[in-house]
Amino acid sequence: MSWGHYQLTLILHSDLIAATKYQEAKQLFAQMKAEGPKPNLPTFNIMTNLFKAENDFPALQQLQDEMAAAFKKTKKNLSKSLEPEEGEVKRSKPLRQYRPAYRTGPNALLRALLTAPNAKAGLGKDDLISFAQPFCDVSFSVPSDYNGFYTAWNSMSSLIQKGLVQKSGGVRSSESEMGLTYQLTEAGEALASELNSEAQAIEQGKAKPPQQPKRSVSAIAHGAGSTSAANSEASKVAAEADS
């Protein structure tokens, strides 16, 4: 607590403020602003109560304006301190690219939507599953996990949410899908092409299959563990084969 603030506290300690004390407090507050550091919030609060008690509304308005200006300046200085200095580049953590692992549900769905006949026109669920199943280690129709819930088809919602697959037409109910078709978006086609080239490189023996840690069936169905050194190696081999 500053000395000036301490003195103000002593002056205003009594509930009944004499006129002489009021003038003394007002003069001390003006002196504090003129000579010392900026008054702190408790000091502002003391003077606010004092001006209200004395019905000194012009002084109260001036005080409130000073408080608003002080707050605005403090906020501006804080924002400025958070900005990078000149010549300094503010680095942000790069976003991890979504890349479903080899022979997982989303990987198989993307490859099927790329390679299946008439896929560009859209495939229904049953047709899509029949084309995708050979590319996947988990069933698209029979739950394989302990609670009988997850299949590889559950990953389709993630592909749609990420803007890689679009769904159109038909009606979807809790029991079935009638007339719904699925097809790749532009971003989905680019990713599917890369994944398919990687898979072909692995299947042709030009790259090693990715070394994946032990995962649950739901993790495999959803494509967890999508980034690995083996994936990078397969990408490199596939790129060299295409060139």
Side-chain angles (χ1 to χ4, degrees):
M1 180 184 292
S2 66
W3 175 246
H5 178 74
Y6 178 71
Q7 286 179 293
L8 277 174
T9 304
L10 289 179
I11 290 173
L12 303 172
H13 182 71
S14 173
D15 292 334
L16 297 176
I17 304 172
T20 54
K21 292 291 185 181
Y22 168 69
Q23 294 299 332
E24 184 180 348
K26 193 173 180 181
Q27 183 178 1
L28 179 58
F29 182 64
Q31 183 179 346
M32 285 175 60
K33 291 194 295 180
E35 298 178 359
K38 295 292 182 182
N40 54 24
L41 185 58
T43 302
F44 274 126
N45 289 338
I46 287 175
M47 295 307 298
T48 297
N49 293 332
L50 176 59
F51 290 146
K52 286 181 180 179
E54 293 294 320
N55 294 323
D56 193 342
F57 296 111
L60 179 61
Q61 182 62 52
Q62 182 181 352
L63 179 66
Q64 290 175 341
D65 292 342
E66 291 173 358
M67 290 175 67
F71 175 77
K72 186 176 181 180
K73 186 175 182 181
T74 301
K75 187 177 180 181
K76 183 178 180 181
N77 291 339
L78 179 60
S79 300
K80 190 174 182 181
S81 66
L82 295 176
E83 295 176 357
E85 296 184 7
E86 187 176 354
E88 179 186 357
V89 178
K90 190 173 183 180
R91 300 181 183 276
S92 58
K93 188 175 181 180
L95 294 176
R96 183 177 178 180
Q97 182 184 13
Y98 176 72
R99 199 176 191 84
Y102 177 61
R103 298 198 64 78
T104 60
N107 183 297
L109 288 170
L110 290 173
R111 290 182 63 193
L113 286 170
L114 179 76
T115 60
N118 301 320
K120 285 187 176 294
L123 295 175
K125 178 179 178 180
D126 292 340
D127 289 338
L128 178 52
I129 286 177
S130 66
F131 286 116
Q133 190 59 72
F135 299 146
C136 186
D137 291 333
V138 180
S139 174
F140 278 91
S141 54
V142 181
S144 305
D145 59 328
Y146 70 94
N147 62 8
F149 179 75
Y150 286 106
T151 69
W153 181 254
N154 289 100
S155 60
M156 175 55 78
S157 58
S158 296
L159 295 176
I160 295 174
Q161 185 178 11
K162 294 178 185 298
L164 300 172
V165 174
Q166 63 183 11
K167 178 176 62 175
S168 58
V171 177
R172 179 177 181 177
S173 67
S174 59
E175 298 179 354
S176 64
E177 297 183 358
M178 299 179 59
L180 285 175
T181 59
Y182 301 85
Q183 56 192 136
L184 294 172
T185 63
E186 186 175 345
E189 186 173 354
L191 178 57
S193 181
E194 293 178 11
L195 296 176
N196 193 55
S197 296
E198 291 173 6
Q200 288 179 344
I202 293 171
E203 291 159 3
Q204 293 170 8
K206 297 178 181 179
K208 295 180 181 179
Q211 296 292 327
Q212 300 292 350
K214 290 184 178 181
R215 297 167 292 159
S216 65
V217 172
S218 61
I220 297 173
H222 285 80
S226 59
T227 305
S228 66
N231 276 22
S232 300
E233 181 183 350
S235 300
K236 185 177 180 182
V237 171
E240 291 174 353
D242 292 339
S243 60

